[in-house]
Amino acid sequence: MTELAFLLNGTPVRLADQPPTRTLLEFLREDRGLTGTKEGCNEGDCGACTVIVTDADGPRALNACSLFLPQLQGKAVRTVEGIAGPDGTLHPVQQAMIDHHGSQCGFCTPGFITSMAAAHQQGRTDHDVVLAGNLCRCTGYAPIIRAAEAAGSSPDPAWMDTTPPDLPVVEISSGGGASGPAGGRQPPGTAFRPTTIDDLAAWYLDHPEATLVAGATDVGLWVTKQLRDLPLVAFLGGIADLRQITPEGDRLHIGAGVTIAALHQALRDSHPHFAAMLTRYASEQVRNAATIGGNIANGSRIGDGPPALIAMGAQLHLRRGDETLSLALEDFFLDYRKQARQSGAFVTGVTI
């Protein structure tokens, strides 16, 4: 990886030569001393590491423990240290937590604060949903919910209006064609950030051993819990076409990069029962990162999407080089993490 750039609590950050699978949590605590962001479960379950990430789609609460640094390119990150104003003025959710006695030991509090602040920016009042990914063993949720409700009547502070940085996008890998440097294999420990499906198709055909990363809610745990080394990684977040939901007559094409949260919003009216099911997936932080393509392509027995999609008669779409293939979703799964997918082929979307 060469260079990436993002905002951290309003300050531009440029990083060079970072391991592509280094997590944001590690960077914040070890390199920047921002230890308010806690390491709890380190697998996206407890919410102690929650941060706010803002991009063109607005602010989202995400787990820093399963977020790799290259996923932050061109975005704005806000940790609990950046929730109060520059002059120390408390954010409404911080003041409300004090007023309503929402904290005891305090370990979980930074995650609650960032989740609440993200929801406050969005004008949300479904506090039980927003905070379902934040665990508290001391205070109990009642005073925390009361704090969230009390803060809702206050306007969002001006300092929270973070615009994603106007920083030049720098290629994370050499980007010198699909084959990497000198037309051969890319060196280990590098990452590729394609911006089109065609770029990914050409590169992945040449590097079928690479790991494709969308939301990293599954792959992130390979690194943080299994301590696996991923020598070659492609980050798919920069491919806008994979994040589109497109009507096609009486059918709907859903790009593989559409997050579970975005899919829920899109299907609330047309497919209300499936949308309701999506709210049961993990937590707010996970749904904000996890993609429907990853939920399918990892082939896991705990991938909740495929059974419902199969019942809806879903068609899966694959790409391999210049070739495209569509098949019934049920025909994609051969066994646990074994798929009807040729080397160098990847999921581009699903049609219902």
Side-chain angles (χ1 to χ4, degrees):
M1 188 174 73
T2 53
E3 185 184 78
L4 65 107
F6 58 92
L7 287 184
L8 177 58
N9 292 332
T11 301
V13 171
R14 292 184 182 275
L15 299 176
D17 300 321
Q18 291 282 332
T21 55
R22 191 178 190 205
T23 66
L24 174 60
L25 179 62
E26 290 178 315
F27 170 74
L28 293 175
R29 294 182 60 84
E30 296 174 5
D31 288 19
R32 294 304 168 105
L34 297 174
T35 53
T37 305
K38 305 302 183 186
E39 180 177 324
C41 66
N42 209 23
E43 57 186 32
D45 287 336
C46 72
C49 68
T50 304
V51 297
I52 303 173
V53 177
T54 302
D55 57 19
D57 295 324
R60 293 176 293 164
L62 294 173
N63 291 312
C65 70
S66 59
L67 196 62
F68 295 133
L69 287 175
Q71 294 176 268
L72 304 174
Q73 173 64 51
K75 300 181 181 182
V77 178
R78 191 172 293 274
T79 69
V80 68
E81 290 88 352
I83 300 298
D87 63 354
T89 302
L90 294 182
H91 188 286
V93 300
Q94 293 175 309
Q95 188 61 56
M97 282 285 275
I98 295 171
D99 296 341
H100 292 270
H101 311 288
S103 177
Q104 286 188 30
C105 85
F107 186 89
C108 69
T109 304
F112 273 97
I113 292 294
T114 47
S115 288
M116 292 162 69
H120 193 270
Q121 278 187 282
Q122 299 164 335
R124 293 180 58 176
T125 58
D126 53 339
H127 305 302
D128 287 352
V129 173
V130 166
L131 297 178
N134 294 84
L135 302 185
C136 174
R137 295 177 181 267
C138 300
T139 309
Y141 294 95
I144 297 173
I145 295 296
R146 286 196 290 268
E149 291 171 344
S153 60
S154 301
D156 202 52
W159 65 79
M160 292 294 293
D161 185 19
T162 302
T163 302
D166 184 16
L167 300 170
V169 176
V170 181
E171 288 294 335
I172 293 179
S173 73
S174 67
S179 300
R185 288 293 193 229
Q186 287 189 259
T190 61
F192 179 56
R193 190 176 187 272
T195 57
T196 69
I197 295 176
D198 289 342
D199 288 345
L200 174 60
W203 183 88
Y204 194 43
L205 192 61
D206 238 19
H207 303 88
E209 76 284 6
T211 301
L212 305 185
V213 177
T217 56
D218 185 24
V219 175
L221 273 62
W222 300 359
V223 175
T224 63
K225 307 303 286 188
Q226 300 176 14
L227 306 182
R228 287 168 58 176
D229 179 34
L230 305 179
L232 192 57
V233 184
F235 291 93
L236 311 187
I239 305 178
D241 286 348
L242 289 181
R243 301 196 304 272
Q244 304 302 313
I245 300 177
T246 310
E248 297 178 348
D250 63 348
R251 300 180 70 79
L252 198 65
H253 178 82
I254 305 164
V258 173
T259 65
I260 301 300
L263 186 58
H264 169 258
Q265 292 296 316
L267 298 185
R268 284 185 303 175
D269 295 331
S270 62
H271 298 75
H273 296 296
F274 185 42
M277 175 183 166
L278 294 174
T279 65
R280 306 301 299 172
Y281 285 30
S283 65
E284 180 80 8
Q285 294 93 321
V286 173
R287 292 192 296 269
N288 282 338
T291 65
I292 191 64
N295 192 254
I296 295 169
N298 67 6
S300 171
R301 68 190 69 182
I302 58 172
D304 298 317
L309 290 170
I310 289 171
M312 297 164 72
Q315 288 281 309
L316 188 69
H317 308 288
L318 303 171
R319 175 78 179 264
R320 182 177 186 271
D322 293 330
E323 302 174 4
T324 59
L325 172 67
S326 297
L327 70 162
L329 180 56
E330 60 262 38
D331 295 334
F332 182 64
F333 301 104
L334 304 179
D335 203 340
Y336 180 58
R337 293 194 185 274
K338 184 178 180 182
Q339 309 153 346
R341 182 176 64 88
Q342 290 182 280
S343 175
F346 60 94
V347 175
T348 60
V350 61
T351 302
I352 57 175

